Amino acid sequence: PAEVAWLSLSGVLGIVVGDNAWLLSLQILGPRRVVFCDNLKPFLAAAAGHWWLREKLSTAPLFAGMFLTAAGVSVISLEKARSESESANKSRRHVAWGWAAAAANVTLDTAGSTLTKIHGAGLTTWEINLIRFGTASVFLLLIAGAGHVAMFVFASRATRDRARARRDLNTRMLE
């Protein structure tokens, strides 16, 4: 039971919030900058594994490999991102939101993965996926449902207001 709660939290953090942050950053920054930010995941995952899971790190090969991979992807991502950003008309504040969303994605995905590793021991991958994706699906359905209800309420109110305005205009025209 406790494992189910932790894995559910992992699904909400990593899938519902983290993946939505990723999609937002993708819309704002574009794929190359998001990939650049995603390069932080191996570093953060290694740190989380070391601190929370007490995993031993062979620092030299680990960091050399992560650095070389991140450097290669970063060079390509940033070079092309510079040329893409010249044509984009986005405010600094908007771009800052994109970077914040990308950072949130990296952090929440790593937290979700770490929680899954800690509390998924003894479960099959099918059970873990059922809990994580099942919880995420329920949350996303609730969010989508609430959005549709809000849209219906506001659309109905706007329709009533427009009908009232037309009726008032017709009444004034007939007077």
Side-chain angles (χ1 to χ4, degrees), residues 38-53 55 57 62-63 66 106-107 109-111 113-114 117:
D38 278 349
N39 278 319
L40 297 175
K41 284 181 186 176
F43 295 101
L44 196 54
H50 179 70
W51 290 322
W52 289 341
L53 305 174
E55 292 179 344
L57 298 176
L62 174 75
F63 286 109
M66 285 193 302
V106 168
T107 304
D109 274 0
T110 303
S113 297
T114 304
K117 184 162 184 182

Side-chain angles (χ1 to χ4, degrees), residues 59-69:
T59 53
L62 174 75
F63 286 109
M66 285 193 302
F67 174 76
L68 290 173
T69 303

Side-chain angles (χ1 to χ4, degrees), residues 63-126:
F63 286 109
M66 285 193 302
F67 174 76
L68 290 173
T69 303
V73 173
S74 298
V75 166
I76 300 301
S77 295
L78 288 178
E79 180 182 324
K80 300 219 175 176
R82 266 188 228 108
S83 64
E84 289 173 358
S85 68
E86 293 170 1
S87 62
N89 291 327
K90 295 178 183 158
S91 70
R92 285 185 180 179
R93 187 175 188 180
H94 193 66
V95 171
W97 271 109
W99 284 110
N105 166 256
V106 168
T107 304
L108 293 169
D109 274 0
T110 303
S113 297
T114 304
L115 286 172
T116 299
K117 184 162 184 182
I118 293 170
H119 299 287
L123 298 174
T124 68
T125 56
W126 296 105

Side-chain angles (χ1 to χ4, degrees), residues 152-166:
F152 176 76
V153 168
F154 290 120
S156 296
R157 187 174 296 155
T159 301
R160 283 193 309 266
D161 291 346
R162 281 193 302 273
R164 184 178 300 127
R166 274 193 301 260

